[in-house]
């Protein structure tokens, strides 16, 4: 409790300057706690948010691709050629720069949740930042902090990286048609497809990548190229077309493309997975993004996406005469036999990973968030209960369920876990398929379970435990017994790892499971439909993303039928 009160004290701004206040303070603390220097000098980490960033992300040695970096699938676009791809990418880049202008002038409107202002700091961490591998722990560096913030993005096509300056000498951003011409130049000078996919190195286990990284940047040219990527505002991946699949499979395939690129034969080498923000635009109309999770949660990312999509709708491409711009600089890499070996290892590992992931995107079209609302139920809690029911029907038991909840009502707050499996949720799931239970009783149990879930949303659990554990470790006192207890480990083995990430855009975020025998489930409830992405590992015989999605669809339908029958008889 001490940590929660002292370090995450809510500082509720009186004015619209929350963003400003947060970002300035954060800029100072960011340098201290997450900059390379601070970590090298062994400075103690001071806040719960820093502990969270380290233990959840920077200490993790698993690959970021698929294991921690979420993907976002945008609706399919209606282009099928390179002109369409580049036009779309040019507008998208202009849209992100438009968003960036709000960041630069610190005029981003403050968001509110339930009438309370939210900390806007995460928005200031997603552009111009990059994760850098280290031998035991990684760091995230934000290059926007320095005196001369970078003015370029990186574009990657056919595994070849380019520096694209996106500002004119007078400081104004390039226009859409200027960007288009620059992209065309990049396209035209990266036609060879036999290049070494250096970027695939970033998809490996962090220790392996850490070693390969040191090896890679021994060469001066390579080091400069890597720095240019790290310092860029963001990355745009112009992807090669993926194998065609049926319409039904299309979204599953694109979700996989966003999460891992489809393997070394396809687009996995067309990435720099350490980069915080990478927009992905395929030649076949597929588009979306992937982001490195350490600096920010999903909601700020989809808020940015909503802004960019809005901007793109407003902007038409007009061809205007213009001053010729210099050719974007191609980033060179000298590939030694040792680096070549590292790339081959990374390719093999990526292909195994891509083969491992089962991704299923479900568009539940029977109803959306309006339906539970019409029954005065929270759409989020309603969907969580549907997940509980689906899991129970598939396994005849419940499991530890993690739902991330925002802590952004606190300064620098990240996420907290709501544990969705409760005595009440189990009572509801058991009653639902019990023929001896009356419908009115089932509906009452659902209502109760939803209320309990809402109450839990306001309680502090996992983060609190993390704080206590880290304090014990840092103070070198003995670890309290609870952390060694088997039940503690069992309760934290989250077979269902879930998150609601709502947006205005009809998109869906996706991420991998947290445990080998679990599911990753992300959902975006729209007014009249719900987008779900369900993932599982193919090597686990007990899990099946398609099957769970089917149970989920049935559960949602049965819960609607139940509520309608009960309200009819009342
Ligand atoms: C790129 O190549 C295409 C096809 O060869 C050509 O029409 C176009 O003018 C080139 N664009 C630039 C900017 O060099
Ligand atoms: C989901 O289905 C609805 C209704 O058919 C449709 O309007 C929407 O575009 C679909 N969304 C996605 C992401 O497929
Ligand atoms: C997963 O479930 C689906 C639908 O129930 C089924 O068709 C498929 O064969 C299952 N996959 C595996 C690998 O068991």
């Amino acid at each position: 409790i001490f940590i929660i009160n002292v370090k995450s004290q809510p500082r509720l701004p009186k004015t619209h300057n929350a963003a400003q206040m947060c970002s300035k303070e954060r800029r100072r603390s960011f340098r201290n706690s997450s900059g390379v220097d601070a970590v090298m000098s062994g400075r103690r980490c001071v806040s719960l948010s820093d502990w969270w960033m380290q233990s959840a992300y920077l200490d993790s040695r698993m690959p970021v691709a698929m294991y921690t970096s979420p993907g976002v699938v945008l609706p399919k676009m209606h282009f099928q050629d390179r002109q369409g791809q580049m036009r779309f990418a040019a507008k998208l880049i202009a849209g992100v720069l438009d968003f960036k202008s709000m960041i630069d002038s610190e005029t981003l409107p403050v968001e509110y949740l339930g009438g309370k202002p939210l900390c806007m700091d995460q928005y200031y961490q997603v552009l111009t930042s990059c994760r850098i591998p280290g031998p035991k722990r990684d760091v995230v560096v934000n290059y926007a902090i320095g005196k001369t913030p970078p003015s370029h993005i990186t574009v990657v096509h056919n595994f070849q990286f380019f520096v694209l300056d996106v500002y004119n000498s007078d400081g104004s951003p390039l226009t859409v048609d200027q960007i288009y011409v620059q992209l065309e130049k990049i396209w035209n000078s990266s036609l060879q497809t036999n290049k070494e996919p250096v970027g695939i190195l970033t998809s490996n286990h962090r220790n392996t990548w850490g070693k390969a990284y040191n090896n890679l940047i021994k060469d001066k040219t390579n080091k400069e190229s890597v720095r240019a990527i790290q310092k860029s505002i963001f990355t745009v991946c112009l992807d090669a077309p993926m194998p065609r699949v049926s319409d039904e499979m299309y979204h599953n395939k694109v979700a996989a493309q966003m999460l891992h690129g489809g393997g070394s034969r396809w687009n996995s080498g067309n990435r720099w997975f350490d980069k915080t923000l990478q927009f992905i635009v395929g030649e076949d109309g597929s588009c979306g993004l992937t982001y490195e999770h350490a600096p920010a949660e999903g909601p700020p990312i989809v808020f940015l996406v909503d802004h960019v999509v809005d901007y793109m709708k407003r902007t038409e491409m007009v061809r205007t005469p213009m001053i010729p711009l210099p050719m974007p600089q191609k980033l060179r890499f000298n590939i030694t036999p040792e680096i070549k070996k590292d790339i081959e290892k990374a390719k093999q590992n990526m292909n195994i990973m891509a083969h491992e992931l089962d991704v299923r995107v479900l568009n539940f079209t029977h109803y959306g968030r309006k339906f539970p609302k019409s029954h005065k139920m929270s759409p989020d809690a309603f969907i969580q209960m549907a997940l509980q029911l689906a899991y129970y029907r598939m396994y005849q038991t419940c499991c530890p369920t993690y739902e991330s909840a925002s802590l952004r009502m606190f300064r620098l707050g990240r996420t907290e876990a709501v544990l969705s499996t409760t005595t009440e949720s189990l009572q509801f799931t058991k009653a639902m398929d019990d023929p001896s239970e009356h419908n009115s009783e089932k509906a009452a149990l659902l209502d109760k379970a939803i209320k309990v879930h809402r109450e839990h949303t306001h309680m502090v659990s996992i983060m609190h435990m993390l704080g206590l554990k880290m304090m014990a470790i840092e103070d070198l006192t003995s670890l309290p017994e609870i952390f060694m207890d088997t039940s503690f480990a069992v309760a934290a083995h989250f077979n269902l790892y879930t998150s609601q990430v709502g947006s205005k855009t009809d998109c869906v975020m996706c991420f991998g499971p947290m445990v080998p025998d679990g599911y990753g489930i992300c959902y975006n409830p729209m007014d009249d439909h719900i987008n779900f992405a369900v993932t599982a590992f193919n090597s686990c015989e007990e899990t099946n993303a398609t099957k769970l999605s089917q149970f989920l669809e049935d559960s949602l339908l049965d819960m609607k039928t139940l509520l309608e029958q009960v309200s009819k008889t009342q």
Side-chain angles (χ1 to χ4, degrees), residues 150-202:
S151 59
H152 69 279
I153 65 169
T154 33
V155 177
V156 49
H157 178 240
N158 279 336
F159 310 153
Q160 296 151 70
F161 289 84
F162 291 81
V163 165
L164 171 52
D165 254 299
V166 283
Y167 290 93
N168 290 303
S169 49
D170 66 356
S172 61
L174 297 194
T175 60
V176 175
D177 45 328
Q178 281 179 311
I179 299 170
Y180 179 86
V181 174
Q182 295 300 76
L183 290 179
E184 213 177 25
K185 289 179 194 162
I186 289 175
W187 224 98
N188 286 2
S189 48
S190 52
L191 294 171
Q192 319 91 310
T193 53
N194 58 347
K195 294 290 173 187
E196 286 298 335
V198 182
I200 206 163
L201 290 170
T202 61

Side-chain angles (χ1 to χ4, degrees), residues 358 394 538 540-541 543-548 550-551:
D358 181 12
M394 189 159 163
N538 282 319
C540 176
E541 291 197 356
T543 55
N544 180 332
T546 305
K547 204 165 167 184
L548 187 71
Q550 286 167 351
F551 275 108

